Amino acid sequence: MSATEDNNAPPKGPQCRVLIQQCVQAELHIDDANLVKIDRGIVVFVSFFAGATEDVVRRAAQSILKIKLSENHDGKLISVLDLPGSVLLIPQACLGGKRKNNAVQYHQLIEKNKGEVLFKIMESELQKHLSSCPKVTAVADETSRPCVRSGTYGNRQVLKMDSSMGPFSHVIDF
Amino acid sequence: MSATEDNNAPPKGPQCRVLIQQCVQAELHIDDANLVKIDRGIVVFVSFFAGATEDVVRRAAQSILKIKLSENHDGKLISVLDLPGSVLLIPQACLGGKRKNNAVQYHQLIEKNKGEVLFKIMESELQKHLSSCPKVTAVADETSRPCVRSGTYGNRQVLKMDSSMGPFSHVIDF
């Protein structure tokens, strides 16, 4: 069997789609008793397609932190690591939907249990890279130090968000 | 010259990209003195690619109103016209960006003056269809009647938004 016939081969289309929005503050209400919150930084919505691999998710996490989409006080575009800012990661399966007439179909999405594993990997990769970034660790006051916060996979949640001066929304496929 | 050689032919890729997010309330601060606001409905970010035509923009506007992405009280997916709900339209050129390594390029975007014309067309099409929708006109209290509000093309603005229980983000190309 050739590699091209391998059913386990990753799909040809994207494996992971993210929507990145800049915020000055964002709060995700997980349920009545729990919320996660960040100050200046990025809100990252993520969706995984069938066949997505751990490797792509790790690369996507690094790219999210390194891509120059945040504006510093001089108006220069820099990465969220250089800002330095926080990340609010939100699972958002519907981002991977495909329009057909007046409905959206979700056939291309990964199975829920596999998506949950990849979401955890993305979360821990973001955490690892952000928390070891010199600009982040240099923030002396722990309470204002940039951080990664995340929603719960498979749950419905409410987001309250104030965008930065923009607002800036970018969609990136990996 | 055949149609395929016509330099004025529309491009093969998408002409218009929209990001639709459900909201229970959203406020766009145009400048210090002006803001536009909607209650329950959808926030629509829009970006136009080079070669986009009026025709595609008119079709996109109708589709935005008819696509079933809003949830009624029974959890059934219905259109924003059937909700009925409001629309906050926000110009968002960066939505049409393309990642290259750690930067995003915007070569595919339409020229600003052409984009501004298309934005006005989309705004007036949304307005026309929403304001003539029976479910909307049936709302007796004018102050709570669903409406279309929009940002200013080419300006930087700040968005404050409370998502519906979801949050739901859909990206659709036309």
Side-chain angles (χ1 to χ4, degrees):
Chain A
M1 195 193 218
S2 79
T4 53
E5 287 168 326
D6 181 0
N7 287 329
N8 293 318
K12 281 184 184 171
Q15 295 188 37
C16 168
R17 176 168 294 159
V18 297
L19 162 64
I20 302 178
Q21 294 185 318
Q22 307 297 320
C23 71
V24 290
Q25 193 165 71
E27 264 181 37
L28 189 71
H29 293 250
I30 312 262
D31 54 42
D32 287 345
N34 296 292
L35 67 83
V36 289
K37 194 174 168 175
I38 62 164
D39 292 319
R40 178 79 198 274
I42 54 176
V43 176
V44 178
F45 299 88
V46 63
S47 176
F48 302 108
F49 294 100
T53 63
E54 285 190 29
D55 185 48
V56 166
V57 173
R58 285 179 211 281
R59 275 193 280 131
Q62 289 210 39
S63 183
I64 289 165
L65 295 174
K66 286 182 179 168
I67 196 162
K68 293 172 183 172
L69 297 179
S70 297
E71 229 180 7
N72 73 1
H73 47 85
D74 298 325
K76 199 183 152 198
L77 288 178
I78 56 173
S79 71
V80 71
L81 288 180
D82 277 333
L83 197 57
S86 293
V87 179
L88 176 58
L89 182 66
I90 303 178
Q92 186 81 139
C94 57
L95 196 58
K98 209 179 163 115
R99 180 177 71 107
K100 193 172 178 188
N101 300 321
N102 290 327
V104 175
Q105 295 180 337
Y106 303 97
H107 304 320
Q108 300 169 296
L109 294 183
I110 202 164
E111 295 155 62
K112 196 176 158 184
N113 59 338
K114 290 182 184 171
E116 192 163 8
V117 171
L118 295 178
F119 185 78
K120 286 278 168 206
I121 291 169
M122 181 169 269
E123 190 184 359
S124 79
E125 288 291 298
L126 290 170
Q127 191 80 56
K128 183 177 79 183
H129 295 298
L130 190 92
S131 64
S132 64
C133 167
K135 286 217 174 178
V136 171
T137 53
V139 177
D141 174 13
E142 254 189 69
T143 58
S144 63
R145 192 175 294 162
C147 59
V148 176
R149 296 284 178 262
S150 55
T152 310
Y153 199 84
N155 260 27
R156 291 193 165 203
Q157 295 148 76
V158 169
L159 176 69
K160 289 173 192 281
M161 176 177 153
D162 288 10
S163 80
S164 66
M165 196 68 173
F168 301 117
S169 307
H170 287 90
V171 176
I172 304 171
D173 282 347
F174 295 96
Chain B
M1 193 191 220
S2 77
T4 53
E5 286 167 328
D6 181 1
N7 287 330
N8 293 318
K12 282 185 182 170
Q15 295 188 37
C16 168
R17 176 168 293 159
V18 298
L19 162 64
I20 301 178
Q21 294 186 316
Q22 308 296 318
C23 71
V24 290
Q25 193 164 72
E27 264 180 39
L28 188 72
H29 293 250
I30 311 261
D31 54 41
D32 286 346
N34 295 293
L35 67 84
V36 289
K37 194 174 167 174
I38 63 165
D39 292 319
R40 178 77 198 274
I42 54 175
V43 176
V44 178
F45 299 88
V46 63
S47 176
F48 303 109
F49 294 100
T53 63
E54 284 190 29
D55 185 48
V56 165
V57 173
R58 285 179 212 280
R59 275 193 279 131
Q62 290 211 38
S63 183
I64 288 165
L65 295 173
K66 286 182 179 170
I67 196 162
K68 293 174 182 172
L69 297 179
S70 297
E71 227 179 9
N72 73 0
H73 45 84
D74 298 325
K76 199 184 152 195
L77 288 177
I78 57 174
S79 72
V80 72
L81 289 180
D82 277 333
L83 196 57
S86 293
V87 179
L88 176 58
L89 182 67
I90 303 177
Q92 186 81 142
C94 56
L95 196 57
K98 209 179 161 115
R99 180 178 72 107
K100 192 171 179 189
N101 300 321
N102 290 328
V104 174
Q105 295 180 335
Y106 303 97
H107 305 319
Q108 300 170 295
L109 294 183
I110 201 163
E111 294 156 63
K112 198 176 157 183
N113 59 338
K114 291 184 182 170
E116 192 162 7
V117 172
L118 296 178
F119 185 77
K120 285 279 169 207
I121 291 170
M122 180 168 269
E123 190 183 358
S124 78
E125 288 290 298
L126 291 170
Q127 192 79 56
K128 183 176 79 182
H129 294 297
L130 191 92
S131 64
S132 64
C133 168
K135 286 217 174 177
V136 171
T137 52
V139 177
D141 176 13
E142 254 188 68
T143 58
S144 63
R145 194 176 292 163
C147 59
V148 176
R149 296 284 177 262
S150 55
T152 310
Y153 200 83
N155 260 26
R156 293 195 162 200
Q157 296 148 76
V158 170
L159 176 70
K160 290 173 191 280
M161 174 179 156
D162 288 9
S163 81
S164 66
M165 196 68 173
F168 299 117
S169 307
H170 288 89
V171 177
I172 304 172
D173 282 347
F174 295 97

